Amino acid sequence: MRVNENFRELPENYLFAEIARKVADWEVRHPAERLIRLGIGDVTRPIPCAVKTAMLRAVEEMGDPQRFRGYGSEQGYSFLRETICRKDYLARGISLSEDEIFISDGIKSDCGTILELFGKDNIIAICNPVYPAYLDAAAICGRAGEYNPAAGGWTKLHYLPCVEENGFFPSLPTGRADLVYLCFPNNPTGAAATKDYLAQWVEWANRTDAVLLFDGAYERFIADPALPHSIFEIDDAKTCAIEFRSFSKTAGFTGLRCGYTVIPKALQRCGMSLHGMWKRRLSARSNGVSYIVQRGAEAVYSDEGEKQVQESIDYYMENAAVICRELRKSGFVVYGGKNAPYVWARRGEAMDSWRLFELLLNECGIVTTPGAGFGTQGEGYLRLTAFGDRKATAQALGRLEKLFH
Ligand code: MLT
């Protein structure tokens, strides 16, 4: 008997689990104090009313012998896939067929399990800093090599530094890379990519036979009309990219769970269709997402749903603007927060990010995310989320101003 030895290489806790552990300790030590959470990107506004109504209707259907539904399609109900094609893609000039959309329980699972489509010795390129779920997924299935901090991290990964000098936009890989995780608007830095920038990646991937794994979880937060919302807005992306999207941050689905993955039929590698492979894999691994939740997701696109979603996005982006402004007043150098719900900030004078995290937790009762938790290039930074309640966010910034003045 052997276990998956790759687990030995993993850090003991997933980043947000480690933070939750520290926060729980703090709460035990400070029972009377009010903690303000600007750490994990979890939403605080309830699901839109249109979504709630649609789900209640779906619950009624499921309880009615005439309208009850058992297993649905593993790929998701046609009503939702067709709506996504029309509203998220056709409306932006992208033509996809509904069976190129795969409904899922969200990006976190799909962006990890997508690796099952690819050979074990592929080289994975990953941004530094990065959303840690990609990295842990690569490590668990043995694609990351060994963890050697002295050698700069995981031995098999190709790291792409995202630093102030490159505006947090990674350069194209200098050596071999077969799979590249990209996320724009970016988690954690908040950087949002232009079409020209993404076009370089698409040209490179088609030329080198690589595949781009594009995380578009935060596209609804793009305010600048010139910026692309999808990798498929770039010519020729259908032959080199897979896109992941989520209802979590857009419509308050962090607890409901629903997202989708787009794999164009034109995406072939080694004579095989990645679309066909993913479909085959899904039929073996999943029975799809609940009917009730998919009816809720469909309602996100109704006139009422779109209006309510926009209200939440505006609310969160107003939080982001307040966070940026107040952090600058308190002496932070600040990035992001304009086309993304994350603010990436460092002190003017260099400061260790876990120390800064502890300082804010212990002195102000504020939870943030230390930049170093996203990778070595995140050292010195903190990530703050705009998903908090407005009053609590303002209160947190007030506490912070007192600390630094
Ligand atoms: C984050 O805080 O980075 C996100 O909430 C994590 C996630 O979406 O899984």
Side-chain angles (χ1 to χ4, degrees), residues 14 16 39-42 108 131 187 218 249 342 374 383:
Y14 182 63
F16 294 106
I40 192 166
D42 195 3
K108 196 177 190 178
Y131 172 43
N187 178 10
Y218 302 100
K249 315 296 160 81
Y342 294 122
F374 297 100
R383 192 198 72 176

Side-chain angles (χ1 to χ4, degrees), residues 205-220:
N206 277 321
R207 178 163 43 81
T208 61
D209 224 23
V211 173
L212 306 177
L213 303 173
F214 190 83
D215 179 346
Y218 302 100
E219 59 83 28
R220 273 305 292 257

Side-chain angles (χ1 to χ4, degrees), residues 14 23 56 73 76 81 159 179 192 203 223 232 243 270 392 401:
Y14 182 63
V23 168
L56 285 172
S73 143
R81 289 187 283 121
Y159 285 102
L179 294 168
E203 189 280 325
F232 300 119
E243 179 160 285
C270 309
E401 199 189 347

